[in-house]
Amino acid sequence: MSGRSRCDPSPDVLYEYQATRSSEHPRAFLKGFSGFLHTDGYQAYDSVPDVKPVGCWSHARRYFVDAIAVLSPMDKRRTDTQAHKGLAYCNRLFAIERDLYEATPVERFAARQKRSQPALQEMHAWLLEMEAKVLPKSLTGKAIAYCRNQWSKLAGFLQDGRLEISNNPAERAIKPFVIGRLCC
């Protein structure tokens, strides 16, 4: 253990506002950049060359939370619905990350290979099984489809111990800039 918080020192944040969500903007902004690009599932980032995409598990988790929110009051209290099971897989990954909070990137990488990789394999098998069993237009079906469609990006955090499981810190950092902005 390093003994220091992985949030210290604070990362730099660079925010560039664009009036549209066109894929030309991230391509222009990131021209010449190569490395990891941690984002939500927005497809405009898929066209950025020379990056290794890393998905956001908070976004994936939110789909399962939304699916639980529309269940009947009795089903919300259950833990065996498919939406609850999907949420439990996500929560398991976040619990591992909480355990690794103080770990160095090297320690985090090794622990993820040992702990997170098997959890991801288990979830992936479950997603494949559920894809044929859950109504695709239900919120649970949409949560499953999101995870399946984003899988390679969602598993991206395993590539390097410096990567986060979620892009929430970046989204929180830019929140003051985007709240109240004018929309077209």
Side-chain angles (χ1 to χ4, degrees):
M1 295 288 213
S2 67
R4 60 176 224 176
S5 167
R6 75 189 240 201
C7 292
D8 188 37
S10 297
D12 292 328
V13 176
L14 178 61
Y15 174 74
E16 180 183 73
Y17 170 78
Q18 293 294 338
T20 70
R21 294 182 50 140
S22 169
S23 62
E24 70 188 63
H25 301 304
R27 278 195 316 270
F29 184 71
L30 296 168
K31 186 176 182 175
F33 170 78
S34 65
F36 296 105
L37 182 60
H38 201 275
T39 68
D40 58 13
Y42 184 52
Q43 290 181 337
Y45 298 112
D46 293 347
S47 67
V48 178
D50 302 321
V51 298
K52 297 174 189 171
V54 180
C56 176
W57 275 99
S58 290
H59 285 81
R61 184 184 182 281
R62 195 171 304 130
Y63 279 96
F64 290 108
V65 169
D66 291 347
I68 291 169
V70 299
L71 294 175
S72 70
M74 184 171 38
D75 285 342
K76 282 182 187 176
R77 290 189 297 270
R78 294 172 47 194
T79 58
D80 62 343
T81 69
Q82 300 312 323
H84 283 93
K85 289 178 184 178
L87 180 61
Y89 279 116
C90 296
N91 288 344
R92 183 172 160 195
L93 293 170
F94 279 99
I96 293 168
E97 289 300 304
R98 279 191 301 278
D99 288 348
L100 302 176
Y101 184 76
E102 296 287 331
T104 67
V106 170
E107 293 166 335
R108 193 173 303 113
F109 176 81
R112 284 175 175 169
Q113 302 311 303
K114 185 176 180 182
R115 297 175 63 194
S116 300
Q117 176 70 22
L120 284 172
Q121 289 172 337
E122 187 180 321
M123 182 178 188
H124 192 255
W126 176 82
L127 289 168
L128 290 173
E129 179 185 346
M130 289 303 106
E131 194 170 43
K133 294 181 178 181
V134 176
L135 294 172
K137 292 190 178 185
S138 69
L139 288 182
T140 302
K142 290 178 180 180
I144 289 168
Y146 178 86
C147 289
R148 289 274 296 119
N149 294 335
Q150 297 291 316
W151 192 256
S152 64
K153 295 175 191 174
L154 289 171
F157 77 101
L158 294 176
Q159 297 175 68
D160 191 305
R162 297 170 296 169
L163 298 172
E164 299 288 339
I165 192 171
S166 164
N167 70 348
N168 278 352
E171 290 192 3
R172 279 192 298 274
I174 66 167
K175 195 171 189 173
F177 301 107
V178 298
I179 291 181
R181 73 175 177 209
L182 296 176
C183 238
C184 304

